[in-house]
Amino acid sequence: MSGVVGPEGGPMRDLLRVGPGPVDLAAIDPRSTPGLPAAAGHGSARKEWARGQVELVGAELGRQQEMLYAAAQGAAGPGSATSAPSQAGGQLDGDRPRRVLLVLQAMDCGGKDGAVKRVAGAMNPLGLHIRSFGPPTEEERRHDFLWRVRRALPPPGYVGVFNRSHYEDVLIARVEGLVDEATWRSRYAIINDFERELVERSVTVVKVMLHISYAEQGERLMERLTDPTKYWKYNPSDLDTRARWDDYRAAYTEALERCGTDVAPWFVVPADRKWYRDWALAHLLRETFDGLDLGYPPADFDVERERDRLRDQGGK
């Protein structure tokens, strides 16, 4: 990738990975910049440098995404097309091609929307499958907690993004007492089994926690209360949630520890600096795609014959 400067100190997948085993979020500085190379410079210059690098990496992500999609089209057979996402589009089939699922979690104001816009936004929207998870509907409550998640999985050849995810069922459900302790504790093993199933069926799972500080969250909330164009982002319940910061921190810590597996590890991205968050996430995704060894599928027809047919019809 011409012009792209890689991280220093090793791959981002190594630098940002946590677990398995004990996790100490307090030891991870939300303003730190793991992997940021010296080429980024100092002070405000780093921000502009990082933004330029995200654009360059984004172009490569778009190319890799196209190869992922093309491979699915080739597997579907000539003249066919992978169906667009639908209510049933995410159901798993062990024989179907690869797909990538990015799971984004964060405390309130952690930057999930911004990360989706700036990093995932570099890819072709026709190959993206973005889903957000809010409070379950009446229909969803009639099923097990993974029912709505399974229905939201990306189709073959797509890059899926979960803005919040099944982890809400061991985070907010735990802290706000929406279910009893025995229920939310049992969900860690269920989640691990579910993610293992995804990986076995050619879904590459990238789980990212965007890690912000209490002080940074306060600044972002105040910005929403002082900028009329951001009032819509604010909800009075945000301060009720903020008052339980320590409880949510404990819930996140246990989720990282209990569900950071070899097949679906957790990555923690320091996210107080938005420009670093985007840079780190872009490289994390780039490395993930590189590990898939993607390529464009070969033609399943006689290329020379088709060229001759086109020339006969006046093509050049």
Side-chain angles (χ1 to χ4, degrees), residues 288-308:
T288 299
F289 273 119
D290 286 346
L292 298 180
D293 194 26
L294 296 170
Y296 290 101
D300 55 4
F301 52 85
D302 187 329
V303 176
E304 285 302 324
R305 180 174 181 273
E306 295 306 306
R307 287 175 181 165
D308 289 340

Side-chain angles (χ1 to χ4, degrees), residues 10 35 59-60 63 72 104 126 166 183 188 233 247 251 254-255 298 302 314:
E60 173 62 14
R63 189 179 73 87
L104 288 176
L126 294 178
H166 43 293
T183 297
Y188 297 121
K233 291 186 175 183
D247 294 332
E254 187 160 7
D302 187 329

Side-chain angles (χ1 to χ4, degrees), residues 107-110 164 172 175-176 212-222 224-225 234-249 272:
M107 301 283 250
D108 286 347
C109 301
R164 299 187 187 272
I172 188 171
V175 176
E176 303 300 333
I212 64 167
S213 64
Y214 184 78
E216 179 66 19
Q217 185 193 62
E219 291 182 13
R220 295 182 186 182
L221 285 170
M222 184 59 73
R224 294 179 181 184
L225 288 170
Y234 183 82
N235 188 307
S237 66
D238 292 342
L239 293 186
D240 298 326
T241 300
R242 177 173 165 81
R244 306 199 66 175
W245 177 274
D246 290 341
D247 294 332
Y248 274 99
R249 173 66 66 86
D272 271 14

Side-chain angles (χ1 to χ4, degrees), residues 32 48 53 60 91 97 100 119 127 130 155 199 204 212 215 237 250 262-263 280:
S32 62
E48 293 305 314
Q53 288 288 299
E60 173 62 14
Q91 295 303 311
V100 174
V119 180
I130 301 174
V199 173
T204 298
I212 64 167
S237 66
D262 288 336
V263 297

